[in-house]
Amino acid sequence: MKNYIHQFYNEGFATTFYLKPIKFIKKHIKNENIVKMLSLFIKIIYTIAMIIVAIITFKKQYPL
């Protein structure tokens, strides 16, 4: 299971929509609490966005 989670957050769309913003935040913000909070927020937004993309793709592939 760890491999799937690692793959979800480190490959594909994650390099653009998750890893780059996280690296940018860590580079420019020194307060560790703010970095953790923003990282969690970006992770949640990315996860929700990918679930929505999966649902849309499924609905287009298998319409009712």
Side-chain angles (χ1 to χ4, degrees):
M1 187 69 173
K2 271 188 172 180
N3 291 335
Y4 293 124
I5 293 171
H6 177 75
Q7 183 179 6
F8 183 74
Y9 289 112
N10 291 310
E11 294 179 5
F13 287 121
T15 56
T16 304
F17 299 115
Y18 177 70
L19 290 178
K20 285 183 182 178
I22 296 296
K23 288 179 183 177
F24 181 81
I25 288 171
K26 286 182 180 179
K27 188 178 197 183
H28 288 65
I29 297 176
K30 302 299 181 202
N31 189 343
E32 194 64 33
N33 289 333
I34 293 174
V35 170
K36 285 181 183 179
M37 186 173 55
L38 288 175
S39 297
L40 180 64
F41 180 71
I42 291 172
K43 189 179 231 181
I44 291 169
I45 295 298
Y46 173 73
T47 304
I48 291 171
M50 288 302 109
I51 290 171
I52 290 170
V53 168
I55 290 170
I56 290 171
T57 304
F58 183 77
K59 286 204 175 254
K60 284 191 176 207
Q61 188 69 28
Y62 302 105
L64 293 176

